[in-house]
Amino acid sequence: MLIRAFICVAIFFLAEISSAQTSTSSPSASPSLEQRVADLEAYINNSARGADVANAQTVSNIPGPGPGHNAWMMTCAALVLFMTLPGLALFYGGLVRAKNVLSVLAQCLGIAGLVTILWWAAGYSLVFSRGSAFLGGLKFAFLHSVDAHPNGDYSHWVSQNVFAMYQLMFAIITPALIIGAVAERMKFAAVLAFVTAWMFVVYFPIAHMVWGIDGWMNGVWNPGAKVTAIDFAGGTVVHMSSGWSALVLCVLLGHRLGFRKEVMAPHSMVLCMVGTGLLWVGWYGFNAGSALAPDGIAATAFMATTLATAVASFTWAMLEYALRGKPSVLGFCSGAVGGLVVITPACGYVDPTGAVIIGVAAGIVPFFACTKLKSWLGYDDALDTFGVHAVGGTLGAFLTGVLATASVNPNLAPVASAPLSAATQNGLARIVGHTLWLEQLKAIGITILLAVVGSAIIGALVRGLIGLRIAPEIERQGLDINQHGEEGYITS
């Protein structure tokens, strides 16, 4: 009897220990009905679940991505790629001479493949992992751990692999914009070499500083940002960085043979118009998609993009009508692209009137940059990349500081109760509608400095190592047949 009693006591004691160990290591309690409803509200409002906050005591029944958010972002990623292939390729391809049309298409395709490899190897990690204020770390190198689970630094409802692919499309189109300034005279090998170095020296640092969660100039999301600037979809990151770099590179290359002596008219305004339409459609993924959710902020960006683009296209063409007597299709196309560029940094932060003001400015300022400034300074920006993207991107970044309003984007509004927003902690919320333009000027200066100095150094190195420019005889005959062994049009 004593032995049986001892065994029973021992079993009971061991069971108690096992129960205590299980309760210590087991997951938190299942969420209550109220917590489950709160998770659904968070999904609709694009905010954090209760389980996402620090020291959360409960799990969530929907710990993964939101299907609607993922569907929206995959669609937007496809639209942004659509801007480069075929949008930008056809827009630029129609503007060059017939003997060089395939060279533009090849450069766009080559850049798309090259940048994808760089993004997989290190680019995504250098931009979007935590690191320093100027460049991210290598936590996500080779897309390690970039899976279907969301990265809470950027979105609680979008899979990180979808977010990474969406941002890849921005990384692809940015260097592709540069080729417009150097069209018809740069070696294909030199394009690839320049873009490889440029991504690491210029694009990755600027993108991290502006969009990285601990970035130096990320006023909206970094509580410790030293420059509390805002850039909704890429005025500094995409358009200024590429546009100012394009100016440096076209100066290093020099003028095309026959510049200002021969007619170098676009060979196909039809292709240019088709490319413009594809860019406009794709730009909705570029701008509205930057909200990272199909929410009210995305709706604001969608409307602002439409208004500014249409107004800028009309304004540019009407200026031609008034000054030259004829509104050209090229004018309508250039104005539309100019409007898309200038509204990019502001689209999620301005009201309809602000978007129209930006559209008017986008139709006027880049027009004079392309028609007067280029002539005065004498640089050969073949397809007006500097006049549209550098001038337009700089104008847009500045006007964002003047016209941004918290009434259309609550992320800019001050928050009095805990937890305080990043914009409240770093002071951005206090200066919206007042002196934000000063912070924008700081971001503009830093972007120009890095783009110009970085591009000058890279361009000089590439020129010294492999040469930038094709031989004169190749330039006269055309890049298509000599660089790629093909012709865009067979007429006999």
Side-chain angles (χ1 to χ4, degrees):
M1 292 293 295
L2 288 174
I3 294 175
R4 290 181 180 180
F6 177 80
I7 292 174
C8 288
V9 170
I11 292 173
F12 177 80
F13 182 72
L14 291 174
E16 287 295 310
I17 292 175
S18 176
S19 175
Q21 290 177 339
T22 302
S23 64
T24 300
S25 60
S26 64
S28 303
S30 297
S32 66
L33 177 61
E34 290 78 6
Q35 291 163 340
R36 293 167 67 183
V37 172
D39 280 353
L40 291 176
E41 291 175 344
Y43 175 59
I44 298 299
N45 294 324
N46 194 34
S47 58
R49 312 165 182 78
D52 291 331
V53 301
N55 302 317
Q57 298 300 311
T58 61
V59 296
S60 174
N61 281 358
I62 42 174
H69 290 62
N70 264 4
W72 167 251
M73 293 311 301
M74 286 188 283
T75 301
C76 288
L79 285 171
V80 181
L81 179 61
F82 195 57
M83 292 170 63
T84 305
L85 303 171
L88 185 70
L90 294 180
F91 177 72
Y92 277 171
L95 292 175
V96 297
R97 289 168 287 183
K99 62 184 179 181
N100 296 315
V101 60
L102 291 185
S103 69
V104 171
L105 308 188
Q107 288 165 6
C108 287
L109 286 165
I111 287 172
L114 172 63
V115 171
T116 298
I117 295 169
L118 300 179
W119 195 250
W120 161 76
Y124 173 72
S125 190
L126 292 173
V127 175
F128 290 106
S129 72
R130 291 176 180 265
S132 71
F134 305 99
L135 195 64
L138 294 175
K139 177 182 178 181
F140 300 127
F142 303 105
L143 297 183
H144 174 71
S145 298
V146 178
D147 53 24
H149 292 88
N151 180 347
D153 283 342
Y154 302 99
S155 173
H156 295 283
W157 297 102
V158 177
S159 294
Q160 186 174 197
N161 50 17
V162 173
F163 175 76
M165 293 300 97
Y166 176 69
Q167 294 296 341
L168 165 63
M169 306 315 170
F170 282 72
I172 286 173
I173 196 170
T174 305
L177 295 172
I178 297 174
I179 65 176
V182 300
E184 303 192 304
R185 62 197 190 277
M186 189 168 177
K187 293 179 180 178
F188 185 72
V191 169
L192 298 182
F194 179 88
V195 168
T196 299
W198 187 86
M199 294 299 292
F200 285 96
V201 174
V202 178
Y203 184 82
F204 296 154
I206 291 179
H208 179 76
M209 284 190 281
V210 175
W211 290 336
I213 192 63
D214 52 358
W216 196 41
M217 298 189 288
N218 189 349
V220 178
W221 300 114
N222 180 12
K226 301 304 180 184
V227 178
T228 55
I230 59 178
D231 183 354
F232 192 79
T236 51
V237 178
V238 176
H239 300 295
M240 284 188 62
S241 67
S242 62
W244 285 95
S245 298
L247 176 65
V248 171
L249 194 54
C250 79
V251 170
L252 286 174
L253 273 168
H255 299 154
R256 287 168 291 176
L257 296 178
F259 179 66
R260 290 186 173 175
K261 297 177 183 178
E262 301 174 6
V263 176
M264 297 182 178
H267 90 279
S268 175
M269 280 310 306
V270 173
L271 287 184
C272 178
M273 169 55 198
V274 172
T276 301
L278 297 176
L279 282 168
W280 190 337
V281 172
W283 223 291
Y284 289 114
F286 198 90
N287 285 359
S290 291
L292 301 183
D295 59 10
I297 297 175
T300 294
F302 190 98
M303 181 175 64
T305 300
T306 304
L307 292 173
T309 306
V311 170
S313 178
F314 187 76
T315 300
W316 188 305
M318 292 306 102
L319 274 174
E320 286 187 332
Y321 209 170
L323 298 176
R324 300 175 178 176
K326 295 178 181 179
S328 69
V329 171
L330 179 58
F332 280 111
C333 292
S334 299
V337 174
L340 290 163
V341 168
V342 180
I343 194 60
T344 291
C347 58
Y349 301 127
V350 297
D351 59 21
T353 300
V356 170
I357 292 171
I358 286 175
V360 173
I364 296 173
V365 177
F367 171 83
F368 284 105
C370 294
T371 59
K372 300 297 182 182
L373 183 64
K374 182 166 70 170
S375 177
W376 293 339
L377 298 181
Y379 57 87
D380 185 11
D381 177 4
L383 310 181
D384 290 318
T385 299
F386 175 75
V388 173
H389 294 276
V391 173
T394 304
L395 174 66
F398 176 75
L399 290 178
T400 300
V402 176
L403 298 170
T405 172
S407 65
V408 300
N409 191 320
N411 294 314
L412 302 181
V415 177
S417 59
L420 298 178
S421 67
T424 300
Q425 295 180 63
N426 62 33
L428 168 64
R430 292 195 305 272
I431 62 175
V432 172
H434 302 288
T435 58
L436 176 57
W437 60 272
L438 291 174
E439 296 298 300
Q440 296 298 101
L441 286 178
K442 294 177 186 178
I444 288 169
I446 293 165
T447 302
I448 293 174
L449 180 65
L450 182 55
V452 169
V453 174
S455 298
I457 294 172
I458 296 167
L461 288 174
V462 174
R463 183 171 61 182
L465 292 173
I466 64 174
L468 288 172
R469 187 159 182 161
I470 57 177
E473 58 272 18
I474 293 177
E475 186 173 347
R476 292 190 185 93
Q477 188 175 3
L479 276 71
D480 290 359
I481 192 66
N482 287 284
Q483 294 270 289
H484 306 289
E486 300 169 301
E487 294 180 78
Y489 306 101
I490 306 298
T491 56
S492 62

